Amino acid sequence: MSTTVDVLDLNGNLTNGTTDKSNFVENQSRLTTKYELNNAVQPLLTDLYQLSMAYAYWKNQKNDIAVFDLFFRRNPFQGEYTIFAGLDDCIKYIQDFKFTHSDIEYLKSTMPSYVEEEFFTYLENMNLKELKIYAHKEGSLVFPRIPIMRLEGPLPIVQLLETTLLVLINYASLVTTNASRFRLAAGDNKSLLEFGLRRAQGPDGGLSASKYCYMGGFDGTSNVLAGKLYGIPIKGTHAHSFVSSFNDLSDLKIRHIKSAISGESVDLADLAFDYLNQMEKHELYFNTNESNKGELAAFVGYAIAFPTDFLALVDTYNVLKSGIPNFCAVALALNKLGYKARGIRLDSGDLAYLSLKVREFFKKIGKIFQVDYFEHLTIVASNDINEDILHSLNMQGHSIDSFGIGTHLVTCQKQPALGCVFKLVEVNGRPCVKLSEDVQKATFPGKKNAYRLYDKEGIPLVDLLTKSDEPEPKVGEAFLCRHPFIETKRAYLSPSKVENLLVPVWIDGKIIQENVEPIQNIRDRVKFQLNHLRTDHKRMLNPTPYKITVSRTLYDFIHNLWLDYTPIANMN
Amino acid sequence: MSTTVDVLDLNGNLTNGTTDKSNFVENQSRLTTKYELNNAVQPLLTDLYQLSMAYAYWKNQKNDIAVFDLFFRRNPFQGEYTIFAGLDDCIKYIQDFKFTHSDIEYLKSTMPSYVEEEFFTYLENMNLKELKIYAHKEGSLVFPRIPIMRLEGPLPIVQLLETTLLVLINYASLVTTNASRFRLAAGDNKSLLEFGLRRAQGPDGGLSASKYCYMGGFDGTSNVLAGKLYGIPIKGTHAHSFVSSFNDLSDLKIRHIKSAISGESVDLADLAFDYLNQMEKHELYFNTNESNKGELAAFVGYAIAFPTDFLALVDTYNVLKSGIPNFCAVALALNKLGYKARGIRLDSGDLAYLSLKVREFFKKIGKIFQVDYFEHLTIVASNDINEDILHSLNMQGHSIDSFGIGTHLVTCQKQPALGCVFKLVEVNGRPCVKLSEDVQKATFPGKKNAYRLYDKEGIPLVDLLTKSDEPEPKVGEAFLCRHPFIETKRAYLSPSKVENLLVPVWIDGKIIQENVEPIQNIRDRVKFQLNHLRTDHKRMLNPTPYKITVSRTLYDFIHNLWLDYTPIANMN
């Protein structure tokens, strides 16, 4: 890669992202004010039924205080964890929530003519001063059925927020989780770059993907606008078209570059061609007649533009017979003039095999020409990589340093939607039940608190739901944690640490500022929490489910309610 | 459903979208000026490598005239056709293409410090006056390897457009094609509603989905903002939470409604309850003690708000024991007061079975209470429906009038990305080759024209690529059409109509206005073209591939070039 924030780092090591930190942080603070890009996030970005219901509530003078839980029922990707993301976008939406005059005009034109004028005045004056939002911290691990967010406030108002919050949380959490799984598969010492813009669900899908993949553990993105808006490191060199736009060395209008050692101007094309001929004499199994001279010209042209950031795409014609010899010829020429090349990118073929062959080639060149760093040149791979392929590459053995990943990452091909739902659990203190014939799909009624209990190593043991009016579990005191469905599964746990998971985010019209965090903090939280999750919950194949439990009081409360509402079997 | 543009249509028929046409068209013209919502579409919404290449081209004084083709290699969803969408967005992007001062500042801060100042001046002054774009009409059928778009202009400039054009076309075409497949599966006489906002890739993913699903043949969306921006009919009534927010009839603060017949105020709750008791006496297999009174209250409340648009979600507790009896009681009460109910929505359970049972119930009620239209009440179904389920429902038999479809539609779960690519095919008149060891993946080099040849019924026979300097095929004259890869496959065709597929869109800095079309026109084109495509190309299982062919001259040209560039086998 090249032309990135860490571009002045001359060690040629793509995996080291720390060198650009100062630059990155500066970018971020400078750009935070430009955060608000997507003006699609507004009260009308919702399903019509929310407004129909708002009218029906208003018409029926039903302004009860409601509690809604936002949660999901199953972890994505056959995994056993999910990362919560999108909170910052939710806060922004809540802060700016206001029906505009033009919104009201549109609604008047489209809702039935008998909808009363006063309702539109009610919408126009609507504010979120009576709303309370509690949520997990962004970047936290979250698990099925534990509310990610709890909202309290007037029924019609909270109802109106449903769709937009789901839009902002569902994809953000899904793709952050996906990125974190790619990170687990690749290991900590590889560089992961998100290249998915062109395959995303439209422009903003691409921006969200870049932002949340970075949050989930990627090192950078190809998406320049995401770099500008979110301060994410951006990466990218050249495409096949750059190579095929050159026919031979005569296409080069500029051939000279200033030596970093002597300061004199040197013909890089001649020098590279000379190295190519020297290389041919060694047992490197290529032939200068067969290597493509248009490709050599392209590499020389690129190196003239980016002498300290020379990373070439080597598979336009033939990796080992043309791309790699041409790259090495230019890299040796650069070396002679005091510039270190960065490495190469493979975009087709058998990535494991080719990467090993390329590394072997680099080692030979390093030895023949006595250039030590050659064997450590970066190898980037980027052809249709997914989580399974990363695992498979690890098993085969490879020599890839950096992966550029697009389609499978941003579309979450393995599971393209996270099923977050938004359920009414209480109205004016009365628990609400939406029953399903399948009790596993039923909602836990009533207002609840959520805790995470930790052992003395700081490893999470279980998540625990309690009724909101129960005393909270205490450090060092045994607490009965029950399986929510299976009566016989329960255990007394004496936690070393208790974390209240649902922290206030928005109370009575005001944002609780400590929840507004730089993306880097959230990214660090993802990493920290994943590092402290038991390995068996994270493994790819048949991971152990993390336990979610309920208190004795909550267990009795919900099971009694469910019994009261048990559906009548249909016998006809 | 209710609160839509066709809300004043009292025939209760959801599937009839024509009644709202006048309203719809008015909306559209009024709102076209607000089209430009997504300010993410800008020159920086691109991959960094485009800018790296731009610098390398600039630095090397390489301002050659290039030709790029935008195409895909395989139809999505194991189908044999694709619909091209996104052109309008591309035109908008091209029209507004301009690096801002802030973009330049960002690039300066992030590109290597040795990048020359003059390059940024060059970017800042860049315009698209030397650019030519040719494209299929939006909403056209397109097929593999036939360029959807051909761009000609200075190499660095055209290269810079690649990613953004791919972003705007890939997802738009994918989801339009997906929607059209759902339409084919459901048949023309069903109503299809897009309910996918909450599962989309973020806010704009949701907006794009709504717009392009409508283009692909859906009748409406739940997405209010899409309604406002694109003039698409919006649909939606209420959620389970509306039902569970009512505990019993005493929760109703408002019980009265004005009779449309007598003008007097009547207690709708009493009247509905009375009908419920009357209904129980007939053989309808339910019991007023078991039906849920909170649900009845919710339905009464909803009917008071929307008396002419009463469509109720009936599966909160039990469809046949509670939801349907409660709905019928309220619908009969409304009927007595001169209001026609619309129907019900099913959101769980066995949709085929339940829809038939519900229809039976409606018929019985219609007979018992002598209300003819009851048997024709609308049944909407909406639980996790995909293309395969639509086919399966057709085979089982069902009585659903309208489908609300979300996740599978907008995420294109069957194939979440269309692989459009953007390939350099010519530089300064010289054909460019990017070879792959797999010849099927190779690009057709050179500047080409594309035609569609039709038979006398107006059915497309083949698509044909020619060299751009060849004479075009003529009506009534035999033209040799060759398979691009298999030497022995060829046929002389004498077309009744020849369509030049790549029409000018942007020539020398000016948009060709006739390509800017209202969404309704494009939607009509999709429908027309699909109606005129042979059935065997459209069937779900093993559809016949539509033939794409090349002229004799082009065949010889590309095969000779490929031979020249044949990769060297790697024998070590």
Side-chain angles (χ1 to χ4, degrees):
Chain A
M1 49 74 13
S2 79
T3 59
T4 76
V5 287
D6 57 345
V7 83
L8 294 178
D9 163 23
L10 272 165
N11 67 5
N13 186 359
L14 241 185
T15 65
N16 184 350
T18 53
T19 51
D20 58 34
K21 213 145 188 186
S22 61
N23 193 344
F24 166 67
V25 171
E26 185 201 350
N27 269 357
Q28 191 165 62
S29 57
R30 185 164 57 81
L31 294 162
T32 318
T33 51
K34 310 202 68 190
Y35 174 90
E36 188 183 10
L37 175 83
N38 200 306
N39 49 9
V41 182
Q42 44 173 286
L44 285 199
L45 187 77
T46 189
D47 292 308
L48 180 61
Y49 77 176
Q50 313 290 7
L51 286 151
S52 308
M53 284 191 273
Y55 179 61
Y57 288 135
W58 177 86
K59 174 81 183 164
N60 285 278
Q61 297 173 14
K62 195 166 170 65
N63 203 34
D64 306 332
I65 294 301
V67 181
F68 282 82
D69 284 350
L70 190 152
F71 65 97
F72 59 88
R73 293 198 183 89
R74 233 170 26 142
N75 289 301
F77 315 120
Q78 285 133 34
E80 289 297 347
Y81 74 87
T82 301
I83 292 164
F84 167 47
L87 179 63
D88 204 35
D89 292 343
C90 292
I91 293 175
K92 194 94 202 120
Y93 159 68
I94 294 291
Q95 273 187 303
D96 296 345
F97 188 92
K98 182 86 189 140
F99 287 98
T100 65
H101 185 66
S102 128
D103 294 343
I104 299 295
E105 289 304 303
Y106 172 66
L107 291 175
K108 280 185 189 171
S109 76
T110 194
M111 290 184 85
S113 56
Y114 52 73
V115 166
E116 294 172 38
E117 186 67 23
E118 290 80 0
F119 171 65
F120 296 110
T121 311
Y122 162 77
L123 284 185
E124 208 158 3
N125 295 333
M126 186 175 275
N127 64 59
L128 306 186
K129 288 198 177 133
E130 290 173 84
L131 178 70
K132 291 184 175 66
I133 302 181
Y134 300 82
H136 283 245
K137 285 192 176 296
E138 186 159 10
S140 295
L141 288 169
V142 287
F143 298 98
R145 297 181 162 284
I146 304 294
I148 295 176
M149 202 179 252
R150 188 183 74 212
L151 291 95
E152 305 168 29
L155 180 52
I157 293 180
V158 184
Q159 182 74 66
L160 273 175
L161 308 176
E162 173 179 18
T163 307
T164 321
L165 293 178
L166 289 175
V167 176
L168 295 173
I169 291 172
N170 262 326
Y171 178 66
S173 300
L174 185 74
V175 75
T176 305
T177 306
N178 202 29
S180 79
R181 295 176 61 90
F182 279 71
R183 168 54 71 201
L184 290 176
D188 278 346
N189 63 344
K190 299 296 175 189
S191 171
L192 290 180
L193 310 174
E194 177 269 313
F195 284 179
L197 178 55
R198 64 187 65 188
R199 302 284 183 256
Q201 274 185 14
D204 183 65
L207 274 176
S208 304
S210 302
K211 176 177 173 184
Y212 292 109
C213 287
Y214 182 68
M215 203 181 269
F218 270 57
D219 297 300
T221 176
S222 65
N223 184 340
V224 183
L225 191 58
K228 183 181 175 192
L229 292 170
Y230 308 124
I232 302 170
I234 51 174
K235 311 276 176 179
T237 53
H238 69 84
H240 293 116
S241 54
F242 185 82
V243 176
S244 57
S245 76
F246 289 84
N247 197 39
D248 56 42
L249 287 169
S250 72
D251 278 354
L252 286 168
K253 292 199 187 103
I254 309 289
R255 303 169 64 109
H256 283 72
I257 184 172
K258 206 160 106 176
S259 166
I261 299 165
S262 68
E264 66 183 328
S265 178
V266 178
D267 186 320
L268 189 67
D270 278 355
L271 190 58
F273 194 69
D274 187 46
Y275 272 111
L276 193 69
N277 285 316
Q278 285 186 52
M279 283 163 57
E280 196 191 18
K281 293 177 193 133
H282 299 274
E283 287 211 352
L284 293 162
Y285 307 101
F286 82 97
N287 185 321
T288 52
N289 291 331
E290 290 170 352
S291 65
N292 189 292
K293 295 306 166 300
E295 188 180 51
L296 182 63
F299 290 176
V300 169
Y302 197 79
I304 286 172
F306 297 105
T308 64
D309 300 286
F310 178 52
L311 192 146
L313 178 60
V314 293
D315 68 339
T316 303
Y317 303 105
N318 183 298
V319 173
L320 298 170
K321 298 286 182 185
S322 183
I324 289 296
N326 281 331
F327 165 79
C328 289
V330 177
L332 286 168
L334 283 175
N335 179 69
K336 171 115 179 176
L337 305 177
Y339 301 105
K340 264 186 189 172
R342 288 207 166 219
I344 58 105
R345 178 159 72 96
L346 297 167
D347 192 40
S348 60
D350 185 316
L351 300 175
Y353 168 81
L354 283 174
S355 69
L356 292 167
K357 280 287 177 188
V358 168
R359 185 70 68 205
E360 203 181 291
F361 204 108
F362 285 165
K363 282 185 184 163
K364 279 187 193 168
I365 295 283
K367 220 165 178 180
I368 295 167
F369 294 91
Q370 299 188 312
V371 192
D372 290 349
Y373 65 85
F374 250 68
E375 68 169 306
H376 303 298
L377 286 171
T378 295
I379 299 177
V380 185
S382 63
N383 182 32
D384 226 17
I385 292 166
N386 63 27
E387 191 189 340
D388 296 346
I389 289 175
L390 289 174
H391 285 290
S392 157
L393 286 169
N394 291 343
M395 282 164 58
Q396 291 171 72
H398 65 84
S399 198
I400 300 162
D401 303 297
S402 176
F403 295 93
I405 305 182
T407 312
H408 296 275
L409 177 66
V410 304
T411 64
C412 300
Q413 195 132 17
K414 229 179 182 179
Q415 179 179 327
L418 178 66
C420 273
V421 294
F422 190 82
K423 294 290 176 189
L424 179 65
V425 294
E426 191 176 291
V427 169
N428 284 347
R430 175 184 66 78
C432 293
V433 176
K434 146 77 179 97
L435 262 196
S436 168
E437 310 217 357
D438 177 6
V439 83
Q440 306 264 349
K441 274 194 76 177
T443 302
F444 296 156
K447 179 171 161 181
K448 299 168 293 293
N449 286 333
Y451 303 95
R452 187 159 295 164
L453 311 187
Y454 293 85
D455 72 8
K456 58 185 186 303
E457 267 84 42
I459 306 295
L461 292 169
V462 299
D463 279 11
L464 169 72
L465 287 177
T466 67
K467 281 196 76 186
S468 65
D469 50 9
E470 281 187 77
E472 61 180 17
K474 289 200 174 56
V475 169
E477 286 184 19
F479 196 97
L480 183 64
C481 300
R482 300 197 59 167
H483 188 289
F485 301 112
I486 303 173
E487 195 168 0
T488 50
K489 286 196 174 179
R490 51 216 170 172
Y492 274 102
L493 291 178
S494 178
S496 296
K497 183 183 143 195
V498 173
E499 184 185 7
N500 186 356
L501 294 173
L502 295 168
V503 300
V505 168
W506 177 270
I507 302 295
D508 301 335
K510 287 206 189 77
I511 178 179
I512 309 298
Q513 280 295 342
E514 66 211 49
N515 297 297
V516 181
E517 297 182 293
I519 189 171
Q520 187 64 46
N521 285 22
I522 303 170
R523 187 171 187 266
D524 290 346
R525 178 172 301 120
V526 172
K527 195 172 172 180
F528 180 88
Q529 292 217 354
L530 273 175
N531 280 344
H532 286 76
L533 184 66
R534 253 172 43 200
T535 314
D536 57 321
H537 300 313
K538 292 181 288 191
R539 72 175 167 229
M540 189 182 147
L541 205 65
N542 293 328
T544 314
Y546 176 82
K547 286 189 184 58
I548 70 116
T549 64
V550 297
S551 70
R552 179 182 214 152
T553 310
L554 183 61
Y555 184 94
D556 292 342
F557 174 75
I558 60 182
H559 282 269
N560 285 330
L561 263 170
W562 285 346
L563 278 177
D564 292 348
Y565 278 82
T566 299
I568 306 135
N570 191 353
M571 308 294 282
N572 63 316
Chain B
M1 52 75 20
S2 78
T3 57
T4 76
V5 286
D6 59 345
V7 82
L8 296 178
D9 162 23
L10 272 164
N11 68 3
N13 186 359
L14 239 186
T15 65
N16 184 351
T18 54
T19 51
D20 57 34
K21 210 144 190 188
S22 60
N23 194 342
F24 165 66
V25 171
E26 185 202 348
N27 269 357
Q28 191 166 59
S29 58
R30 187 165 56 80
L31 293 162
T32 316
T33 51
K34 309 199 68 192
Y35 175 89
E36 188 183 11
L37 175 83
N38 200 306
N39 49 7
V41 181
Q42 46 173 281
L44 284 199
L45 187 77
T46 190
D47 292 308
L48 180 60
Y49 77 176
Q50 313 290 8
L51 286 151
S52 308
M53 282 190 275
Y55 179 61
Y57 288 135
W58 178 86
K59 175 81 183 165
N60 285 277
Q61 298 173 14
K62 196 168 170 62
N63 203 34
D64 306 332
I65 293 302
V67 181
F68 281 83
D69 284 349
L70 190 154
F71 65 96
F72 58 88
R73 293 201 183 87
R74 233 170 25 144
N75 289 300
F77 314 121
Q78 284 134 34
E80 289 297 347
Y81 74 86
T82 300
I83 292 164
F84 167 46
L87 179 62
D88 204 35
D89 292 344
C90 291
I91 293 175
K92 196 92 201 122
Y93 159 67
I94 294 291
Q95 273 188 303
D96 296 345
F97 188 92
K98 182 86 190 142
F99 287 98
T100 65
H101 185 67
S102 129
D103 294 342
I104 300 294
E105 289 304 303
Y106 172 66
L107 291 176
K108 280 184 188 171
S109 77
T110 193
M111 290 185 86
S113 56
Y114 52 75
V115 167
E116 295 172 38
E117 186 67 24
E118 290 79 2
F119 171 65
F120 297 110
T121 310
Y122 163 76
L123 283 186
E124 208 156 4
N125 294 333
M126 186 175 276
N127 64 60
L128 306 186
K129 288 201 176 130
E130 289 174 83
L131 178 70
K132 291 184 175 66
I133 304 181
Y134 301 82
H136 283 244
K137 284 191 176 297
E138 185 159 13
S140 295
L141 288 169
V142 287
F143 299 97
R145 298 180 162 283
I146 305 293
I148 296 176
M149 205 178 249
R150 189 184 72 213
L151 291 96
E152 304 168 30
L155 180 53
I157 293 181
V158 185
Q159 183 74 65
L160 273 175
L161 309 175
E162 172 179 19
T163 306
T164 320
L165 294 177
L166 290 174
V167 176
L168 295 173
I169 290 173
N170 263 326
Y171 178 66
S173 300
L174 185 75
V175 75
T176 305
T177 307
N178 203 28
S180 80
R181 294 177 62 89
F182 279 70
R183 168 53 73 199
L184 290 176
D188 278 347
N189 62 345
K190 300 295 177 191
S191 172
L192 291 181
L193 310 174
E194 176 270 313
F195 284 179
L197 178 55
R198 64 187 63 189
R199 301 285 183 258
Q201 274 187 14
D204 182 66
L207 275 177
S208 304
S210 302
K211 176 178 173 185
Y212 292 108
C213 287
Y214 181 68
M215 203 180 269
F218 271 58
D219 297 299
T221 176
S222 64
N223 183 340
V224 185
L225 190 57
K228 183 180 176 194
L229 292 171
Y230 309 123
I232 301 170
I234 52 174
K235 312 275 175 179
T237 53
H238 69 84
H240 293 116
S241 54
F242 186 81
V243 175
S244 59
S245 76
F246 289 85
N247 197 38
D248 56 41
L249 287 168
S250 72
D251 277 354
L252 285 168
K253 291 197 188 103
I254 308 289
R255 302 169 64 110
H256 284 70
I257 184 172
K258 206 159 106 176
S259 166
I261 298 165
S262 69
E264 66 182 331
S265 179
V266 177
D267 186 320
L268 188 68
D270 277 356
L271 191 57
F273 194 68
D274 187 44
Y275 273 110
L276 194 68
N277 285 317
Q278 284 186 52
M279 283 163 55
E280 195 191 19
K281 292 176 194 138
H282 299 274
E283 288 213 348
L284 293 163
Y285 308 101
F286 83 94
N287 185 321
T288 53
N289 290 334
E290 291 170 351
S291 65
N292 189 291
K293 295 306 167 299
E295 187 180 52
L296 182 63
F299 290 175
V300 169
Y302 197 78
I304 285 171
F306 297 103
T308 65
D309 300 284
F310 177 55
L311 192 147
L313 178 59
V314 293
D315 69 337
T316 304
Y317 303 106
N318 184 298
V319 174
L320 297 169
K321 298 286 182 188
S322 183
I324 290 295
N326 281 331
F327 166 78
C328 289
V330 177
L332 286 168
L334 283 175
N335 180 67
K336 172 114 179 173
L337 304 178
Y339 300 106
K340 265 185 187 171
R342 288 206 166 220
I344 59 107
R345 179 160 70 98
L346 297 167
D347 191 40
S348 59
D350 185 316
L351 299 175
Y353 169 81
L354 283 174
S355 69
L356 291 167
K357 280 286 177 192
V358 169
R359 185 68 69 202
E360 203 183 291
F361 204 107
F362 285 165
K363 282 184 184 164
K364 280 187 191 166
I365 294 283
K367 221 166 177 179
I368 295 165
F369 293 92
Q370 299 188 311
V371 193
D372 291 346
Y373 66 83
F374 251 69
E375 68 169 308
H376 303 300
L377 286 170
T378 296
I379 299 177
V380 186
S382 63
N383 181 30
D384 226 17
I385 291 166
N386 63 28
E387 192 190 338
D388 296 345
I389 289 174
L390 288 174
H391 285 290
S392 156
L393 285 168
N394 290 343
M395 281 165 57
Q396 291 171 74
H398 67 85
S399 198
I400 298 162
D401 302 298
S402 177
F403 295 94
I405 306 182
T407 312
H408 296 274
L409 177 66
V410 305
T411 64
C412 300
Q413 195 133 14
K414 230 179 180 178
Q415 179 179 327
L418 178 66
C420 273
V421 293
F422 190 82
K423 294 291 177 189
L424 178 64
V425 294
E426 190 176 293
V427 170
N428 284 348
R430 176 183 66 78
C432 293
V433 176
K434 151 51 183 125
L435 263 196
S436 167
E437 311 219 356
D438 177 6
V439 83
Q440 305 265 348
K441 275 193 76 179
T443 302
F444 296 157
K447 179 170 162 183
K448 297 168 295 294
N449 286 333
Y451 303 94
R452 186 159 294 164
L453 311 188
Y454 293 86
D455 72 9
K456 58 185 186 300
E457 267 82 44
I459 306 296
L461 293 169
V462 298
D463 279 10
L464 170 71
L465 288 178
T466 66
K467 282 196 74 186
S468 65
D469 50 9
E470 278 188 80
E472 61 180 16
K474 288 198 175 58
V475 168
E477 286 183 20
F479 196 99
L480 183 64
C481 299
R482 301 197 60 165
H483 188 289
F485 302 112
I486 304 175
E487 195 170 359
T488 52
K489 285 198 176 180
R490 54 217 167 168
Y492 273 101
L493 291 178
S494 177
S496 296
K497 184 184 143 196
V498 174
E499 185 185 6
N500 186 355
L501 295 172
L502 294 168
V503 299
V505 167
W506 177 271
I507 303 295
D508 300 336
K510 287 206 189 78
I511 178 180
I512 308 298
Q513 279 296 343
E514 64 209 30
N515 296 299
V516 181
E517 297 182 292
I519 188 171
Q520 187 64 47
N521 286 21
I522 302 171
R523 186 172 188 265
D524 291 346
R525 178 173 300 123
V526 172
K527 195 171 173 183
F528 180 87
Q529 294 218 352
L530 273 175
N531 280 344
H532 287 77
L533 185 66
R534 254 170 42 199
T535 314
D536 57 320
H537 300 312
K538 293 181 287 190
R539 73 175 167 230
M540 190 183 148
L541 206 65
N542 293 330
T544 314
Y546 175 82
K547 287 189 183 59
I548 69 117
T549 64
V550 297
S551 69
R552 178 182 213 153
T553 309
L554 183 60
Y555 184 93
D556 292 341
F557 175 74
I558 59 183
H559 282 270
N560 284 330
L561 264 170
W562 285 347
L563 278 177
D564 292 349
Y565 280 81
T566 300
I568 306 134
N570 193 353
M571 307 296 283
N572 62 315

